């Protein structure tokens, strides 16, 4: 289609004058879609037509795309919630670190922007736009190029990008030279059409299919059938069940190990000193993966060894349809604490507290009675309140009621401090010994969307290269009434290199003619 | 072995100086009406500088035992090297000395800034011990270098097209870009001079002491003492990590950029854009427009492959997820979306030429933002952050 500059009527590409107002159509032809008629250019406008028209427009697509860009950038002004320090409450973190702006950012939900409904909606609109714009153009374009005639009207040729009038005594020789540049030549009477790299025109459609596949894969991830993501912490020597596997998959941590770089290595000395601490070289866990044989709820299942292996950072392993990644660790977690309580007469008694599953009541040898009131496995002061940062015993603290008869004192005890909450200071209690263990953090994943992402990425890359590294070029040779030839050329991009190629082809022909 | 490391450092210095020489030669060649011999010498000199830098890269690799693309210093020097490589190849097709000057200036500034970051050979933490890391970083840098060419062409196009007789927005925007580029140079000069004199200032706050490498003009709002008498305390809401230190660096860079700008204006006696225009005027503008588009067309797939696809493959192995919305990742995505938009917007009527050129400038700003600002202003989990 070409628009008449005076009355805006849409005419065929071949028309010389406007079918509505009769004025002559001038200027270079816009060849982008070969003048094919597209659905979005239809006049009758039902609601569906209007929606179609909206999404088929590149301009609207770009509004959506740029809006997505802005939204994406907005999410990096402050850290996303997943990146704030473990144990900090979002509400409090954003307020205390970034003031009023931080509070606002949090309250507007920008701290979880990329999973917000409106960000998802933007991506959905983008997908719709890519899909509809592509369908709207591909089929008409495909048909137009497939059915294109060799013979074109003279005024159509004169309005191409590259136009020359030339005397050609030996068209065959010129054509064979053009053929040498990998053009394929068709003939219709006295007219020739040389064409190459038409496949490049399909590049955008191929890459858009790739993009849609990637969006589809992202959508599939919302379903647990395609994407399951579990995480287990396992102490050295212990076995844990992988959650949500119907009690069928167990992993044993035989040994977790950390290796660090040698501090005295002359090569890395300076860097390690700058870092101010040792730099880890590897994290790895020797694991055994078990499958539960015949499990009945409540019973201890029989475990069958599936695989023994080592998993380390950057070297995930596969077992039972899952991929296991080394993704966290904790050194020297407390497994048990020995506390020593002293009564009014200075007589002491020791008792053990299991940090995993502490008992509530303790009868001590010196007649004291300890009752556990509160337990913070990973205690931290958050302003004036005591919280537990995680549920793992990394920095345990307890609140005990110590009593003898009807005398009771409330004490707060952590590894290195004791505070009497009632202020009576009758009894004393402190931590005297502890046992520790290492814990490995394994991420256990089943992700059936990965192949879809990969395929999407591959198709996208293919389409990109196809569409951007090749250009569709055409040369028409048309014999005019006076016996000279009209040469017209079209390329879908990079006009100046095409012009160079054309000039060179004609130059070479001229030189041979003369010499 | 120790000698290897020292030799490698000297090679980088040699490359830096050779590139400076390249700038002079290419500028000279651009100023002469006809180019020929000077141009060829300029190309040869630049190529020699590149070989020296390649030597730096290889020796450092041999010495440290891993490809030197694993911290900010290494990545930035590598990016500078890719810019020159792209320039050397591109010059075979498009022989415009000014494009070469642009590439060399930007490359030198980037390599110069790189030297301000810690240069020690650092051991790799486990997550970085992956071949995919090298593949990802090198391809991404190459892609960005090719994309940068669209900025060089675009900037020259804008200089070419702007009517310097009239005072309008565009004239001042050009000057603003020049001030920005000068600010980077200014930062480099400041940092080098203060480092040469061994200057550091430690500013004490209620609970920490912050070491400034430059005079602490901006200090945290809870400052207790500072060796510099004219400190301005930043507003109370600026509490991010090292916010005052960062603001201080940005302020002093811009200040030095302005000083450099005024100095240059003093000599040229007209706007710098106006002073440069006669050089640019002779370039064919349609060709510049074509080069701009072409470099995006070539660079976009390389960037996609390196900065997104390879990055995701690596992230999937190292962190069990291919995408984590880490700021550096997000800005790579923004860069990618922006250049996708560039390719589409160019198809719209009236968006070729000057408007495309401006888009290319914005695109390069985004790349630079991701290279420097994300590391300095936004903290992420990337090794270079
Ligand atoms: C992230 C999103 C997108 C990417 C990466 C992308 C990629 C591309 C690329 C690389 C091209 C080829 C450009 C050229 O040859 O210069 C292209 C063409 C095109 N894109 Fe997209 N695109 C995206 C989104 C969209 C959207 C939202 C629309 C909707 C309007 C759209 C419609 C088109 C059209 C109509 C073409 C031209 C097709 C042709 O020349 O026949 N694209 N796209």
């Amino acid at each position: 289609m070409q628009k008449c500059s005076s009355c805006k009527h849409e005419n065929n590409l071949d028309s010389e004058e406007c079918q509505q107002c009769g004025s002559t159509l001038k200027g270079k032809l816009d060849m982008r879609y070969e003048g094919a008629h597209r659905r979005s250019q239809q006049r009758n406008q039902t609601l569906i037509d209007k929606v179609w028209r909206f999404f088929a427009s590149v301009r609207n697509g770009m509004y959506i795309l740029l809006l997505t860009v802005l939204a994406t950038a907005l999410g990096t002004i402050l850290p996303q919630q997943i990146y704030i320090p473990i144990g900090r409450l979002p509400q409090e973190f954003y307020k205390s670190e970034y003031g009023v702006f931080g509070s606002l950012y949090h309250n507007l939900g920008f701290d979880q922007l990329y999973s917000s409904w409106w960000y998802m909606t933007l991506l959905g609109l983008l997908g719709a736009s890519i899909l509809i714009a592509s369908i709207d153009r591909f089929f008409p374009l495909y048909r137009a190029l497939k059915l294109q005639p060799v013979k074109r009207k003279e005024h159509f040729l004169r309005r191409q990008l590259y136009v020359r009038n030339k005397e050609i005594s030996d068209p065959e020789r010129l054509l064979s030279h053009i053929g040498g540049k990998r053009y394929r030549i068709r003939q219709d009477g006295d007219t020739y059409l040389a064409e190459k790299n038409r496949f490049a025109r399909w590049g955008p459609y191929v890459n858009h299919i790739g993009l849609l596949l990637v969006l589809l894969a992202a959508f599939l991830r919302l379903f647990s059938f395609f994407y399951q993501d579990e995480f287990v912490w396992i102490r050295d020597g212990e076995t844990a069940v992988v959650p949500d596997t119907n009690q069928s998959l167990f992993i044993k941590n035989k040994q977790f190990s950390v290796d660090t770089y040698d501090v005295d290595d002359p090569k890395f000395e300076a860097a390690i000193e700058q870092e101010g601490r040792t730099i880890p070289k590897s994290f790895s866990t020797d694991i055994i993966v078990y499958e539960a044989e015949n499990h009945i709820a409540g019973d201890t299942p029989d475990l069958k060894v599936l695989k023994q292996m080592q998993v380390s950072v950057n070297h995930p392993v596969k077992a039972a349809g899952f991929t296991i990644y080394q993704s966290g660790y904790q050194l020297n977690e407390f497994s048990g604490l020995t506390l020593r309580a002293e009564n009014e007469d200075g007589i002491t008694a020791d008792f053990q507290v299991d940090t995993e599953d502490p008992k509530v009541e303790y009868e001590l040898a010196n007649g004291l009675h300890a009752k556990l009131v509160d337990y913070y496995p990973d205690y931290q002061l958050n302003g004036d309140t005591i919280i537990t940062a995680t549920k793992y015993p990394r920095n345990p603290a307890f609140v005990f009621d110590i009593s003898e008869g009807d005398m009771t004192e409330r004490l707060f005890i952590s590894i290195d401090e004791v505070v009497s909450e009632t202020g009576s200071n009758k009894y004393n209690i402190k931590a005297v010994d502890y046992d520790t263990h290492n814990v490995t953090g394994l991420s256990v994943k089943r992700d059936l969307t990965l192949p879809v992402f990969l395929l999407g990425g591959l198709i996208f890359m293919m389409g990109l290269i196809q569409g951007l590294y090749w250009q569709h070029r055409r040369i028409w040779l048309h014999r005019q009434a006076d016996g000279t030839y009209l040469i017209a050329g079209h390329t879908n991009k990079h006009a100046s290199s095409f012009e160079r190629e054309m000039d060179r082809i004609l130059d070479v022909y001229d030189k041979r003619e003369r010499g | 072995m120790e000698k290897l490391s020292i030799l490698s450092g000297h090679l980088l210095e040699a490359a830096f100086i050779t590139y400076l020489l390249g700038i002079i030669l290419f500028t000279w060649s651009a100023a002469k009406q006809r180019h020929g011999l000077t141009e060829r010498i300029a190309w040869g000199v630049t190529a020699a500088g590149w070989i020296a830098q390649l030597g730096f890269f290889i020796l450092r690799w041999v010495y440290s035992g891993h490809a030197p693309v694993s911290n900010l210093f290494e990545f930035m020097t590598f990016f500078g090297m890719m810019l020159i490589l792209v320039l050397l190849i591109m010059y075979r097709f498009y022989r415009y000395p000014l494009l070469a000057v642009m590439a060399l200036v930007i490359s030198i500034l980037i390599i110069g800034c790189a030297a301000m970051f810690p240069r020690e050979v650092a051991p790799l933490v486990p997550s970085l011990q992956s071949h995919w890391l090298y593949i990802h970083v090198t391809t991404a840098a190459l892609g960005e270098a090719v994309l940068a060419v669209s900025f060089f062409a675009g900037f020259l196009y804008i200089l070419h097209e702007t009517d310097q007789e009239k005072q309008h927005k565009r004239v001042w925007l050009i000057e603003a870009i020049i001030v920005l580029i000068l600010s980077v140079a200014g930062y480099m000069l400041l940092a080098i001079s203060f480092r040469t004199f061994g200057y550091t200032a430690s500013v004490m706050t209620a609970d920490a002491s912050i070491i400034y490498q430059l005079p602490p003009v901006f200090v945290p709002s809870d400052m207790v003492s500072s060796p510099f008498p004219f400190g301005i305390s930043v507003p109370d809401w600026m509490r991010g990590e090292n916010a005052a230190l960062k603001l201080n660096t940005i302020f002093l860079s811009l200040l030095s950029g302005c000083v450099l700008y005024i100095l240059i204006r003093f000599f040229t006696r007209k706007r710098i854009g106006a002073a440069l225009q006669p050089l640019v005027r002779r370039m064919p503008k349609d060709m510049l427009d074509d080069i701009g588009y072409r470099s995006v067309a070539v660079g976009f797939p390389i960037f996609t492959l390196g900065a997104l696809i390879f990055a995701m493959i690596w992230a999937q192995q190292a962190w069990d997820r291919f995408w984590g919305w880490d700021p550096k990742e997000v800005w790579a995505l923004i860069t990618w979306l922006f250049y996708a938009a560039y390719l589409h917007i160019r198809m719209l009527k009236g968006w070729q030429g000057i408007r495309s050129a401006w888009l290319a400038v914005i695109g390069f700003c985004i790349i630079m933002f991701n290279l420097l600002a994300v590391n300095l202003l936004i903290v992420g989990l990337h090794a270079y952050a």
Side-chain angles (χ1 to χ4, degrees):
Chain A
M1 294 282 112
Q2 55 172 328
K3 205 178 251 173
C4 168
S5 56
S6 39
C7 74
K8 308 286 179 240
H9 181 73
E10 294 279 1
N11 294 284
N12 283 332
L13 274 198
D14 277 335
S15 317
E16 196 162 1
E17 53 208 28
C18 178
Q19 276 150 0
Q20 183 156 303
C21 70
S23 53
T24 329
L25 298 165
K26 294 190 291 269
K28 293 253 180 290
L29 275 181
D30 177 3
M31 293 282 289
R32 189 168 288 279
Y33 300 108
E34 307 292 312
H37 189 81
R38 314 205 305 268
R39 183 189 161 147
S40 61
Q41 295 163 326
Q42 264 171 14
R43 281 226 173 265
N44 60 343
Q45 295 262 306
T46 63
L47 182 65
I48 294 176
D49 285 336
K50 280 185 184 146
V51 172
W52 184 272
R53 192 190 186 119
F54 178 85
F55 284 112
S57 143
V58 172
R59 192 173 292 271
N60 292 341
M62 289 309 109
Y63 284 131
I64 300 172
L65 186 62
L66 290 176
L67 220 59
T68 313
V69 170
L70 288 181
T72 310
L74 189 64
T76 61
I77 297 178
L78 295 184
Q80 289 289 300
Q81 213 182 85
I82 39 169
Y83 287 117
I84 71 174
I86 295 165
R88 298 286 294 270
L89 296 171
Q91 183 70 42
E92 175 275 330
F93 173 82
Y94 286 97
K95 191 170 160 47
S96 74
E97 293 291 318
Y98 306 105
V100 183
F101 178 70
S103 280
L104 194 68
Y105 197 81
H106 169 72
N107 289 332
L108 288 174
F110 292 166
D111 57 340
Q112 289 176 307
L113 189 144
Y114 304 114
S115 49
S116 65
W117 61 267
W118 57 272
Y119 192 73
M120 306 268 188
T121 309
L122 270 178
L123 292 185
L125 290 176
L126 199 61
S129 184
I130 293 173
L131 181 67
I132 292 175
S134 299
I135 295 177
D136 189 57
R137 286 167 176 79
F138 175 76
F139 294 100
L141 176 64
Y142 182 81
R143 230 172 291 130
L145 278 175
K146 201 174 154 73
L147 300 177
Q148 85 180 299
V150 173
K151 265 205 172 92
R152 303 304 289 247
K153 298 226 167 76
E154 249 175 55
H155 60 88
F156 170 90
L157 297 179
R158 281 188 203 290
R159 292 171 63 200
Q160 291 300 324
L161 173 83
Y162 188 95
V163 186
R164 297 284 185 280
N165 271 307
K166 213 170 161 49
E167 300 220 8
I168 295 173
S169 50
D170 186 359
E172 289 302 323
R173 204 153 52 70
L174 178 60
L175 285 167
S176 87
H177 185 51
I178 292 176
K181 299 268 176 199
R182 291 184 295 103
Y183 282 85
R184 286 186 38 219
I185 297 165
R186 285 196 284 152
Q187 181 180 11
D188 183 354
D190 271 347
T191 309
Y192 299 89
L193 167 57
E195 186 176 12
K196 75 171 168 188
N197 301 341
R198 193 197 284 180
F199 74 96
R201 291 293 279 274
W202 317 132
Y205 307 99
V206 174
N207 90 45
H208 287 169
I209 290 175
L211 284 176
L212 290 170
L213 265 178
V214 168
L215 286 175
L216 174 76
F219 177 68
L220 289 182
R221 278 193 146 215
L222 301 174
F223 304 96
S224 65
F225 172 77
F226 292 100
Y227 179 62
Q228 196 180 344
D229 173 14
E230 310 295 346
F231 195 94
V232 279
W233 287 106
I234 317 173
R235 296 178 179 189
D236 272 349
E238 293 192 355
T239 304
V241 61
V242 179
D244 298 319
T245 53
N246 202 13
Q247 301 284 315
S248 68
L249 193 66
F250 290 74
I251 299 177
K252 173 171 183 171
N253 165 8
K254 272 169 56 184
Q255 171 83 52
F256 170 74
S257 36
V258 184
D259 196 8
T260 56
Y261 285 96
D262 182 2
V263 190
D264 298 324
D265 186 338
K267 227 191 295 184
F268 299 139
E269 236 171 2
I272 294 177
E273 178 158 338
Q274 236 220 342
E275 187 73 18
R277 57 194 148 97
T278 56
I279 297 177
K281 193 176 189 173
S282 79
F283 302 119
S284 59
T285 315
D286 287 317
I287 57 171
I288 304 176
V289 181
Y290 301 100
E291 203 174 34
E293 292 248 276
N294 45 352
H295 66 280
I296 306 159
D299 257 6
T300 355
D302 297 335
L303 295 183
K304 190 185 89 187
V305 175
L306 264 187
K307 265 184 180 171
Q308 289 214 33
M309 49 203 162
Q310 188 185 54
V311 51
S312 61
V313 173
N314 258 318
H315 301 281
V317 295
K318 288 199 157 77
F322 285 88
T323 311
I324 303 169
Y325 300 85
Q326 175 73 55
S327 76
Y329 70 98
Q330 185 66 44
L331 295 181
N332 304 323
E333 208 177 84
F334 293 91
S335 22
L337 233 58
T338 308
L339 301 179
R340 179 166 296 168
E342 188 178 327
N343 68 10
E344 273 178 302
D345 309 327
I347 302 170
T348 61
D350 292 353
F351 64 107
Q352 289 268 349
V353 184
D354 181 354
T355 53
E356 184 76 346
D357 185 18
K359 278 199 311 182
V360 177
E361 310 270 350
Y362 302 83
E363 294 297 341
L364 307 189
N366 57 0
L368 290 180
H369 176 87
K371 181 172 171 217
L372 183 64
V373 180
D374 230 335
Y375 171 40
Y376 307 93
D378 190 2
Y379 117 84
Q380 234 179 37
L381 274 182
N382 196 353
D384 287 334
T385 50
I386 298 171
I387 58 158
T388 183
T390 64
K391 57 188 204 296
Y392 307 104
R394 292 168 187 168
N395 184 24
F398 311 89
V399 175
F400 273 111
D401 272 346
I402 309 288
S403 52
E404 192 168 23
D406 51 3
M407 200 54 206
T408 300
E409 178 175 9
R410 181 161 286 189
L411 289 161
F412 171 84
I413 301 128
S414 71
I415 304 299
D416 46 17
E417 66 180 320
V418 178
V419 180
S420 170
E421 294 194 349
T422 35
S424 42
N425 290 320
K426 270 187 186 327
Y427 311 119
N428 196 1
I429 194 166
K430 65 176 185 231
V432 289
D433 198 12
Y434 51 81
D435 299 320
T436 62
H437 55 252
N438 295 341
V439 191
T440 189
L442 301 178
S443 148
V444 183
K445 290 195 160 187
R446 196 186 49 156
D447 192 346
L448 300 182
T449 67
L450 284 182
V452 187
F453 275 111
L454 202 64
L455 184 70
L458 223 66
I459 292 178
F460 178 69
M461 278 311 298
M462 261 174 47
L464 273 193
I465 290 174
Q466 175 182 348
L468 293 175
Y469 288 6
W470 277 276
Q471 300 108 44
H472 178 214
R473 294 177 171 182
R474 274 172 291 177
I475 308 169
W476 289 274
L477 248 66
H478 173 81
R479 198 179 144 99
Q480 299 174 112
D482 64 356
T484 61
Y485 275 85
L486 174 63
I487 300 173
H490 172 264
T491 179
N492 69 331
K493 57 180 52 168
H494 305 323
S496 55
S497 25
F498 177 60
E499 281 164 20
R500 259 199 285 197
E501 180 179 43
M502 287 299 292
D503 287 344
R504 226 174 281 151
I505 289 175
L506 296 182
D507 264 2
V508 170
Y509 175 79
D510 283 346
K511 276 197 196 117
R512 295 255 180 82
E513 192 87 321
R514 269 184 263 118
Chain B
M1 278 308 250
E2 197 63 36
K3 283 210 196 89
L4 225 54
S5 153
I6 294 168
L7 179 60
S8 133
H10 287 324
L11 278 175
L12 184 62
E13 287 157 17
F16 189 86
I17 292 166
T18 317
Y19 292 158
L20 275 176
L21 194 62
I23 293 183
I24 296 171
L25 288 170
F26 271 121
T27 313
W28 188 17
S29 152
K32 287 203 311 187
Q33 288 287 353
R34 293 181 45 201
H35 25 244
L37 189 61
T38 356
E39 192 191 8
R40 246 173 282 150
I41 295 175
W43 191 90
V45 165
T46 311
W50 191 79
I51 301 282
Q53 197 178 355
L54 187 66
F56 150 80
F57 183 78
I58 293 173
L59 289 188
R60 196 174 165 97
W61 189 332
V62 171
Y63 176 69
S64 71
H66 58 257
V69 287
S70 61
N71 62 27
L72 201 51
F73 164 70
E74 293 174 340
F75 178 69
M76 285 173 72
T77 45
F78 184 78
F79 180 45
M81 188 164 112
M82 287 296 109
L83 276 175
I84 304 294
L85 176 68
V86 169
L87 154 70
L88 290 173
I89 295 173
M90 179 188 70
Y91 209 80
R92 299 266 130 199
F93 301 96
Y94 303 104
R95 302 172 54 130
Y96 301 107
L98 282 180
L99 276 178
V101 174
M102 289 285 300
L104 279 161
V105 167
I106 299 295
S107 172
I108 274 196
L109 288 178
I110 288 172
I111 295 173
C113 276
M116 302 303 130
F117 294 96
R119 275 175 287 180
E120 293 86 6
V121 173
L124 291 183
V125 297
S127 58
L128 300 187
Q129 297 164 14
S130 162
H131 292 300
W132 284 110
L133 166 69
Y134 309 149
I135 298 172
H136 147 55
V137 173
T138 49
T139 323
L142 180 66
E144 287 180 350
V146 178
L147 289 173
V149 174
S150 75
F151 161 69
F152 307 150
F155 186 65
L156 292 176
Y157 191 97
I158 292 167
L159 273 181
H160 185 290
E161 280 299 273
T162 305
D163 180 1
Q164 290 283 352
E165 300 303 312
K166 289 200 209 111
Q167 304 255 351
H168 49 87
K169 267 198 317 233
R170 226 152 81 190
V171 171
W172 292 111
L173 268 172
I174 292 177
E175 301 301 291
I177 295 174
I178 292 172
V179 169
L180 269 183
I181 296 176
L182 287 174
S183 299
V184 181
Y187 166 72
M188 218 166 83
L189 293 175
L190 274 184
I192 291 175
S193 8
F194 279 98
R195 183 182 281 184
T196 317
F197 292 112
Y199 179 91
T200 54
S202 82
V203 173
M204 309 294 289
T205 66
D207 47 29
S209 120
I210 303 167
I211 308 290
Y212 282 66
Q213 312 283 351
L214 297 175
V217 179
F218 283 97
V219 292
S221 50
D222 57 346
M223 180 201 65
V224 178
S225 77
S226 157
F228 186 73
F230 313 108
I232 304 166
S233 137
V234 300
D236 186 47
W237 50 265
M238 284 188 72
R239 294 186 226 173
E241 193 175 356
N242 283 337
L245 184 66
K246 289 167 185 170
L247 182 66
N248 193 58
T249 309
I250 293 172
F251 170 77
L252 287 177
S253 305
L254 286 176
L255 185 71
S256 57
C258 292
V259 172
L260 283 178
Y261 178 78
I262 292 166
L263 275 178
I264 296 175
R265 287 281 305 252
F266 184 76
F267 287 110
T268 56
R269 306 245 157 222
K270 50 182 154 187
R271 283 190 299 272
I272 299 183
L276 292 176
Q277 198 172 41
L279 284 178
V280 184
R281 261 282 139 92
R282 287 197 298 272
M283 299 184 74
K285 64 173 199 169
D286 289 342
M287 192 52 120
L288 283 176
D289 188 45
D290 252 24
I291 295 173
Y293 173 45
R294 206 152 196 187
S295 73
V296 179
V298 174
F300 187 71
I302 304 177
F303 180 80
T304 308
L305 195 64
L308 296 172
I309 297 181
F310 289 158
M312 289 191 206
I313 295 178
W314 170 49
Q316 180 69 31
Q317 287 195 353
W319 289 299
D320 72 51
R321 83 256 173 322
F322 58 82
W323 194 258
W325 298 109
D326 161 77
K328 194 106 185 167
E329 260 169 33
V330 174
W331 277 91
L333 176 69
I334 291 172
T335 311
W336 181 75
L337 289 173
F338 183 84
Y339 278 104
Y342 170 100
L343 287 172
H344 291 86
I345 292 174
R346 236 193 106 86
M347 302 189 306
L348 301 175
K349 270 213 177 60
W351 276 86
Q352 272 116 332
I354 193 86
R355 286 167 154 187
S356 278
W358 279 113
L359 289 179
V361 171
I362 298 173
F364 185 67
C365 289
I366 297 178
I367 291 182
M368 283 299 109
F369 185 84
N370 200 12
L371 185 67
L372 286 171
V374 169
N375 292 295
L376 299 179
L377 303 179
I378 305 172
V379 198
L381 56 72
H382 259 74
Y384 334 126

